[in-house]
């Protein structure tokens, strides 16, 4: 068996291994993560909302994580790469895992990778892609941590085929609030495992995970982008594509009366389909460095008029009906090069409203758009995906049917209208058997939660056994009373 051998660093104790170099990330505007162990910082969600002054610790070793957690006298929030949109990874006392990034082992025969929780998905791919292995589930960004991917049980554009990230985790090490390490798998500790997968960081700190990767012949996809004249046509195309293709996603022109759009369908490109002169060869990880932008002044440039104009341009020019070969990062993680998108919304950032709706209620989707148009609350971005079976994660978001992610400015002259509309939509979504994605949410009310997450009570029971002193916390938990302990 061929193992990836991480280099030993003589300066590290206990046989600790050196991680791949990681670029310091900006966790909020103007603030750079450093190796300092404790600092006061203002952090926010990726949508640039919820700026909060916190105590931030950035340990490197499992031992340090254990000590920090067990010795803390106040509630602790665990934070990965900070790519959740709002308040899920924010709390008064944050332990961030961005320096806990060793890849402990990688077996290129079996495709099993064992990595510390702060390792980003891009870092995993840097090691695995050249050997012909890829993550089976990749969300819209690869700049997230393994811990964050498990805690939100993230999904990709291939949910129908591959389910969620947590379904590919073979086992994980969780640091309980006492500091004890519990090694768990779906077989050994099913309750604790599925409470931690999708548990939004409230059962303890994931220290590392073993993940089963997926064999690939090349790191390229055969991709088509088809223009549609209505949302019904997009939905038909996406649904039909699940029979033949691996990945599908729809962009909807939410400002258009017929809700025209673009549907991108991709499938792995076999070796014989590749041209001979690809940079990096057939298995290129192709890392993308994130360029960070300051928020544009004031309310930025996103408004109803600019959305309409940009959508028209996109629909007319960004189409490619003939299959072309693209690197997987181009089709699956197109936003990974810059964070220009949240910056464009100005200083107050953006609200993303992502909901899931069962297939039987799919008729509600066009009606929701038309209603938003009628009250002049058109989302700046609308992305549509189709989901398959749910995972066993007790708070996992995906359920069979559709998901729509809608971006709205968090500061506009009509913010109040937007918030009132979304509150009304919450009720429609819940009544139709759907739910809101916790990793994106920053405005849902606590009383809606049990209506949307049927396993909430079961999760709360398991969680309170794992964290009887309620040490794990976050602003999300306080706002939604996820744990059931905030009255
Ligand atoms: C551009 C963009 C596109 C996205 N596309 C998708 C998508 O297609 N599908 C999808 O599902 N999501 C998507 N997301 C959301 C993102 O994948 C999730 O929010 C993910 O959880 C972020 O991971 P993170 O490492 O940044 O975690 P953070 O944002 O830091 O934390 C997220 C949650 O995980 C918990 N957590 C983090 N680390 C640990 C740990 N070590 N132990 C226990 N809990 C932990 C935190 O407490 C928090 O509750 C997208 C986000 C962005 C910015």
């Amino acid at each position: 068996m061929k193992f990836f051998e991480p280099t030993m660093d003589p300066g590290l104790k206990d046989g600790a291994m050196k991680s791949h170099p990681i670029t310091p990330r900006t966790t909020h505007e103007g603030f750079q993560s450093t190796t300092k162990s404790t600092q006061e910082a203002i952090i926010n969600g990726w949508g640039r909302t919820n700026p909060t002054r916190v105590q931030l610790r950035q340990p490197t070793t499992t031992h340090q994580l254990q000590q920090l957690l067990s010795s803390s006298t106040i509630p602790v929030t665990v934070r990965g790469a900070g790519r959740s949109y709002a308040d899920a990874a924010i709390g008064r006392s944050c332990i961030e895992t961005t320096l806990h990034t060793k890849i402990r082992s990688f077996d290129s025969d079996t495709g099993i990778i064992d990595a510390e929780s702060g390792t980003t998905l891009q870092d995993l791919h840097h090691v695995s892609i050249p050997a012909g292995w890829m993550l089976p589930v990749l969300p819209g960004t690869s700049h997230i941590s393994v811990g964050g991917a498990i805690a939100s049980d993230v999904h990709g554009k291939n949910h129908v085929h591959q389910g969620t990230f947590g379904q590919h985790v073979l086992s994980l090490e969780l640091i309980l609030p006492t500091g004890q390490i519990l090694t768990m798998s779906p077989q050994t500790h099913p309750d604790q495992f599925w409470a931690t997968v999708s548990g939004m960081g409230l059962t303890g700190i994931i220290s590392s995970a073993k993940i089963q990767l997926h064999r690939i012949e090349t790191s390229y996809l055969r991709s088509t982008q088809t223009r549609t004249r209505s949302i019904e046509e997009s939905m038909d195309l996406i649904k039909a594509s699940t029979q033949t293709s691996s990945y599908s996603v729809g962009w909807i022109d939410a400002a258009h009366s017929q809700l025209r759009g673009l549907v991108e369908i991709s499938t792995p490109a076999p070796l014989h389909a590749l041209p001979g002169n690809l940079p990096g060869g057939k298995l290129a990880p192709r890392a993308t460095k994130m360029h960070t932008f300051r928020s544009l002044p004031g309310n930025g440039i996103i408004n109803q008029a600019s959305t309409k104009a940009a959508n028209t341009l996109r629909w007319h020019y960004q189409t490619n009906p003939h299959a072309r070969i693209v690197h997987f990062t181009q089709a699956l993680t197109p936003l990974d090069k810059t964070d220009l998108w949240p910056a464009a919304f100005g200083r107050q950032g953006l609200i993303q409203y992502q909901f899931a709706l069962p297939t039987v209620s799919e008729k509600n989707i066009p009606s929701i758009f038309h209603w938003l148009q009628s009250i002049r609350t058109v989302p700046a971005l609308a992305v549509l995906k189709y989901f398959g079976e749910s995972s066993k994660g007790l708070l996992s978001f995906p359920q069979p049917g559709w998901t729509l992610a809608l971006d709205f400015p968090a500061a506009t002259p009509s913010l109040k209208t937007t918030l009132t509309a979304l509150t009304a939509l919450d009720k429609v979504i819940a009544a139709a058997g759907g739910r809101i994605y916790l990793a994106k949410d920053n405005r849902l009310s606590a009383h809606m939660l049990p209506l949307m997450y049927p396993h909430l009570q079961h999760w709360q029971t398991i969680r309170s056994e794992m964290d009887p002193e309620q040490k794990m916390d976050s602003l999300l938990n306080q706002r939604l009373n996820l744990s059931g302990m905030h009255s």
Side-chain angles (χ1 to χ4, degrees):
M1 259 191 274
K2 204 168 109 202
F3 274 87
F4 161 73
E5 298 286 1
T7 46
M8 298 297 290
D9 182 346
L12 298 175
K13 284 190 187 141
D14 305 330
M17 291 172 271
K18 221 181 190 175
S19 63
H20 294 278
I22 54 164
T23 317
R25 265 183 287 275
T26 302
T27 51
H28 81 113
E29 276 196 309
F31 169 72
Q32 286 276 313
S33 295
T34 70
T35 50
K36 267 168 70 179
S37 61
T38 307
Q39 56 196 311
E40 212 171 75
I42 297 173
I43 59 173
N44 47 234
W46 190 79
R48 307 219 169 163
T49 56
N50 309 81
T52 310
R53 187 175 291 279
V54 302
Q55 285 292 324
L56 189 70
R57 293 173 181 79
Q58 296 167 311
T60 51
T61 65
T62 303
H63 183 63
Q64 287 168 356
L65 280 168
Q66 284 175 282
Q67 281 201 318
L68 277 174
L69 186 54
S70 60
S71 65
S72 179
T73 51
I74 57 169
V76 164
T77 300
V78 53
R79 183 173 173 88
R83 291 293 196 275
S84 45
Y85 272 59
D87 55 3
I90 302 177
R92 189 173 139 205
S93 172
C94 286
I95 299 180
E96 192 191 84
T97 61
T98 48
L99 300 179
H100 185 59
T101 57
K102 290 165 212 137
I103 294 179
R104 293 170 166 182
S105 69
F106 169 54
D107 183 333
S108 61
D109 286 339
T110 61
I112 296 173
I113 195 157
D114 183 356
E116 289 181 344
S117 56
T119 315
T120 65
L121 306 191
Q122 176 167 282
D123 289 340
L124 293 187
H125 275 162
H126 189 71
V127 170
S128 73
I129 298 265
W133 295 94
M134 183 173 165
L135 284 163
V137 173
L138 192 60
T141 171
S142 61
H143 295 305
I144 69 165
S145 69
V146 166
I150 297 171
S152 300
D153 200 15
V154 300
H155 60 271
K157 298 176 177 71
N158 58 349
H159 184 271
V160 170
H161 303 288
Q162 295 290 349
T164 58
F165 195 93
Q167 290 176 268
H168 304 275
V169 174
L170 301 175
S171 64
L172 60 85
E173 282 181 3
L174 183 77
I175 305 174
L176 292 167
T178 54
Q180 256 183 318
I181 292 186
L182 182 62
T183 303
M184 54 171 86
S185 75
Q187 293 75 34
T188 60
H189 299 79
D191 282 353
Q192 291 92 336
F193 184 87
W194 294 114
T196 298
V197 170
S198 76
M200 301 307 291
L202 297 172
T203 60
I205 300 180
I206 299 161
S207 172
S208 68
K210 278 189 190 161
I211 304 156
Q212 176 65 65
L213 304 179
H214 187 73
R215 256 272 182 239
I216 49 167
E217 201 176 321
T218 76
S219 55
Y220 288 82
L221 301 176
R222 236 203 281 244
S223 185
T224 55
Q225 209 164 46
T226 307
R227 220 184 260 163
T228 63
R229 299 198 174 271
S230 69
I231 192 163
E232 289 81 4
E233 192 186 338
S234 294
M235 289 166 82
D236 286 347
L237 208 55
I238 291 175
K239 234 193 243 179
S241 78
T242 59
Q243 303 298 317
T244 53
S245 302
S246 307
Y247 304 94
S248 57
V249 61
W251 165 79
I252 308 297
D253 179 354
H256 185 258
S257 58
Q258 297 301 311
L259 303 164
R260 65 189 175 186
L262 299 169
V263 172
E264 188 169 16
I265 295 170
S266 314
T267 207
L271 190 53
H272 64 81
L274 301 190
N277 56 350
L278 284 169
K282 62 171 183 149
L283 291 166
R286 211 183 266 185
T288 46
K289 192 165 179 272
M290 172 67 81
H291 296 283
T292 300
F293 286 86
R294 280 193 172 278
S295 295
L296 293 181
N299 290 347
I301 53 167
I302 309 287
N303 52 48
Q304 301 280 296
S306 64
T307 296
K308 199 167 182 183
N311 284 4
T312 301
L313 281 176
R314 186 170 181 183
W315 189 79
H316 280 286
Y317 295 108
Q318 201 184 316
T319 172
N320 211 323
H322 305 296
R324 56 196 181 122
I325 302 289
V326 297
H327 191 262
F328 78 87
T329 52
Q330 203 177 323
L332 304 186
T333 54
L335 283 179
D336 263 1
K337 284 194 185 124
T338 75
D339 62 357
L340 200 53
W341 182 241
F345 285 80
R347 294 214 173 278
Q348 308 299 317
L350 72 104
I351 296 170
Q352 185 172 102
Y353 187 77
Q354 182 168 4
F355 63 89
L357 214 55
T359 315
V360 287
S361 311
E362 66 186 21
K363 287 223 159 25
N364 283 334
I365 291 179
S367 319
I368 287 172
F369 276 111
H370 291 309
W371 178 66
L372 288 171
Q373 285 177 347
S374 73
I375 55 167
R376 296 184 54 76
T377 307
V378 172
L381 181 69
V383 175
L384 181 68
K385 285 183 270 191
Y386 195 56
F387 282 156
E389 289 306 309
S390 303
S391 94
K392 289 185 185 164
L394 292 172
L395 298 183
S396 190
F397 168 67
Q399 58 180 117
W402 295 97
T403 180
L404 255 175
L406 310 176
D407 285 3
F408 298 93
T412 74
S414 56
L415 177 63
K416 209 170 154 209
T417 314
T418 307
L419 293 177
T420 308
L422 298 183
T423 304
L425 275 188
D426 292 341
K427 293 186 188 134
V428 174
I429 306 294
R435 60 179 68 125
I436 302 294
Y437 193 11
L438 300 178
K440 307 278 183 80
D441 174 60
N442 70 355
R443 34 137 311 278
L444 192 67
S445 299
H447 70 274
M448 296 305 293
L449 203 63
L451 304 177
M452 296 182 169
Y453 285 88
H455 305 299
L456 179 66
Q457 232 177 14
H458 184 39
W459 176 81
Q460 286 172 342
T461 307
I462 299 168
R463 183 204 114 85
S464 60
E465 283 161 10
M466 295 170 79
D467 181 15
E469 288 176 15
Q470 311 298 325
K471 215 177 214 182
M472 305 307 298
D473 199 11
S474 63
L475 294 189
L476 176 85
N477 183 35
Q478 290 167 23
R479 178 167 57 83
L480 288 181
N481 194 14
L482 272 168
S483 61
M485 293 297 169
H486 288 280
S487 47

